[in-house]
Amino acid sequence: TGRDATSFGGVDLVAKINESVQADGTCGSWGYALGQALCILGLERAGADVPETLVDNLLTHQDETGAFGYLAGEFVVENDSTGFALAALSAVAGDREAALAAAEARDYLVSAQTDAGYWEGYSPVNATGVVAPALETVGVPQDAAVSWLAGQQLADGSLPSVLDGSTGDVRATVQGLLPFTGESYLSVGEGGADSVELVVNPEAVERIYGVDRYGTAAAASLDAYAPGVDTVFVATGTGFADALTGSALAGHLEAPILLVRTDSVPEVTAAELARLDPSRVVVLGGDAAVSDVVMSAVGSYAEGNVERISGSNRYGTAAAVAEEFGAVDHVFVATGQAYADALAASAAAGADGVPVLLVGKDAVPPATAARLAAIDPSSITVLGGAAAVSDDVLTELEGYAEVTRVAGANRYETAADLSALRGDASGAIIATGLDYPDALTGAAYAALADVPVLLVKPAEIPPATLVEVDRLAARFLVVVGGGSVVQDEVLTQLSQLNYAG
């Protein structure tokens, strides 16, 4: 009505609401989602500040479907409460978490609408009268709901509280009025908002890159590490296997990984080693991958404190790297014959402080078998489908521990599936799925922040990657690699993502 809520019949209603807020954010004595929503709506419509604790408390009433329950501590989905909660969250949609929760509530309510156009509840008319205007506010047309409500109206103008009822009900009639008028609890009266656009974009999208793979690795190190690090890992930039398993250890030890050529140290790598001023340098792989000359050169930046971790082949090197983790209860396993499926594993392994071991498509190499026996893990995660790691190998691995296979239809899906399996994260590292150096460099960087590595094509974000970034509602996205591997249009598309869309 536009009247002063701080002096309504001599009572300061805003003060009354604020005085009722308990330490846990419960507004009043209800402890219900509906009560929380009404408090938020009342404060917002009165032009008063809405305490964050009220919104935080309201969100505790929402489940994974997006629906809100009525009772505190005893979750029972209720469409009325979800409708009121959507209206309240829309009122404070400038808050990131409120907007995301509102989007989930919106999607749930859209799915819960019956074919006839109403929502089920203690009183379908009441529920529809609450839900329809809330959805209309966030851009979901409600012609079907209005038509259904009109069909429920009785000859005297009233609405019944029950389906196809013959007796009017005052509360049902009042709540059913808003959909007829096109108003909502946010717009009705003076100064209200007719609509609210739910928008949650990534807070930051940036690119870390150099002129080539060596420069990109150095740029990632520069971005993440201050001088005086304890350890720097060095691997060849011309093969994936050693850097693949070594980046997990680098991530675990919160150490950068830099790339070299077999017989020379690129200038950009040398400059970054000088800046880092490490206490020691660890070379990954044998002298066929990183020569003794290069090992000596990189060791000079740590006053000669340099060591090599290697085996007789990539499987042996992976096993030797795994030994550095000490006692662990879990192991990641991927094929040693291709890099695609293992790209995401390094980041996850580094964050968890566990190793990545390599197998052949049809066999578990002796070095891998010996290391598995020594580790005696409780569980193993295998990356990739049967075309990469056969079912026979899976069966052999089951002799060591319980095995879970993570495999999508392609490398993009596999990376996304692993990320989803691991749950929430504040952001993601984005790299090309068509080559390994940038993704492996990014893996140690990702492990440091405990975020996944997700893969894209040069000019396209694959559907699986989009779905996972949206699920994470990632606050920050870091693209590792230059414009030749991930084009600017991908960064533009990432920047324009709307997680509440």
Side-chain angles (χ1 to χ4, degrees), residues 235-238 242 260-263 283-291 294 308:
T236 177
T238 58
D242 298 335
V260 295
R261 298 184 180 92
T262 301
D263 296 313
V283 173
L284 299 167
D287 58 6
V290 179
S291 69
V294 169
R308 186 191 294 274

Side-chain angles (χ1 to χ4, degrees), residues 5-8 10-17:
T6 64
S7 181
F8 189 82
V11 177
D12 186 339
L13 299 178
V14 171
K16 288 291 185 183
I17 291 177

Side-chain angles (χ1 to χ4, degrees), residues 193-204:
D194 290 331
S195 63
V196 173
E197 186 178 4
L198 301 177
V199 178
V200 179
N201 304 122
E203 295 173 7

Side-chain angles (χ1 to χ4, degrees), residues 353-383:
V354 300
V356 177
L357 291 172
L358 303 179
V359 295
K361 176 188 174 183
D362 298 311
V364 177
T368 303
R371 181 49 45 197
L372 281 170
I375 292 172
D376 190 25
S378 296
S379 58
I380 297 171
T381 298
V382 173
L383 276 298

Side-chain angles (χ1 to χ4, degrees), residues 452-487:
V453 171
L454 297 173
L455 305 178
V456 295
K457 297 178 180 178
E460 177 188 346
I461 305 174
T465 303
L466 275 175
V467 168
E468 181 57 13
V469 170
D470 185 72
R471 186 195 69 81
L472 292 170
R475 290 179 179 272
F476 69 88
L477 296 166
V478 178
V479 174
V480 181
S484 62
V485 291
V486 180
Q487 296 177 15

Side-chain angles (χ1 to χ4, degrees), residues 126-145:
N126 286 359
T128 303
V130 171
V131 171
L135 285 172
E136 188 84 46
T137 298
V138 294
V140 183
Q142 290 304 305
D143 294 345

